[in-house]
Amino acid sequence: HKLIIHNRNATKASDLLAGGANWAESPAAVAAAAEVLITMLADPAAVSVIAHGPEGILSVPGAQKSWIDASTLNPSFSIEMAATAAKQGYHYLDAPVAGSKAPAEAGELVFLVGGEETVCSACQPLFDLMGKKTIYAGASGQGAALKMTINNLLAHSMIAFAETMALGQGLG
C-alpha cells in the first residue's frame, strides 16, 4: 500500500517519512490522493478542524472513498460526522481502538467499528494490517458507543480494585 500522510505537527511524522511514506501538505491533499483515509485524533474538535477546515478532508469530494476514523469520540459526534461525510461522498466508519502505543506498534490493536457493514468488510484488509481483531458493532456511532462502554467497565474495575486494596489494608 502507498502511505500518504499529514500531521498537524510534521515532526511527529518523521519516522513514517523515513520509512517511505509520502507527505501531503494538508488533510485535503491526503483526501485527494488516497482511496481510504485513516484518522486518529484527540477529540471531536481536532476531527472537526481536519474535516471542515479550508484545507480539510471534506473540501474534497469523496467519490465513494472510505474514511476510517479511529479517534475515540462520543457516539453523537460520530453519527453527525458520518452524515456530513456521506453528503460529500465518503463512507465514514467510526473505529476507535482498544490498545495504546505498544499494541499499535506491534499491529495488535482491536478495532471497534460502527458504520456500514459492507464498508467495514471492504476495509478489513487494512484493519488486519493494523490490528489483531475487528469487532463490527453496528450502525454509525456504535463503534464509539462500544469503546465508551469498555472504558466505563475498565474504570469501574480500577475503582473496585482500589477500594478492595484499601479495605484489605484497613483490615490488616
Side-chain angles (χ1 to χ4, degrees), residues 58 62 81-90:
L58 299 178
M81 188 55 64
T84 302
K87 289 177 186 172
Q88 289 298 108
Y90 290 89

Side-chain angles (χ1 to χ4, degrees), residues 54-98:
E55 289 290 314
I57 291 168
L58 299 178
S59 68
V60 176
Q64 304 306 309
K65 294 179 181 191
S66 296
W67 177 4
I68 300 169
D69 190 356
S71 310
T72 296
L73 307 168
N74 59 64
S76 60
F77 181 84
S78 294
I79 292 166
E80 176 186 318
M81 188 55 64
T84 302
K87 289 177 186 172
Q88 289 298 108
Y90 290 89
H91 296 287
Y92 179 90
L93 297 174
D94 55 289
V97 299

Side-chain angles (χ1 to χ4, degrees), residues 123-165:
C123 292
Q124 190 60 54
L126 294 172
F127 291 130
D128 290 343
L129 287 172
M130 299 180 289
K132 65 180 179 181
K133 186 170 187 173
T134 305
I135 299 171
Y136 177 70
S140 294
Q142 293 303 299
L146 181 56
K147 173 70 180 225
M148 287 180 67
T149 59
I150 290 170
N151 283 357
N152 188 37
L153 178 62
L154 292 172
H156 281 83
S157 296
M158 290 169 42
I159 292 167
F161 177 78
E163 290 290 332
T164 301
M165 291 298 293

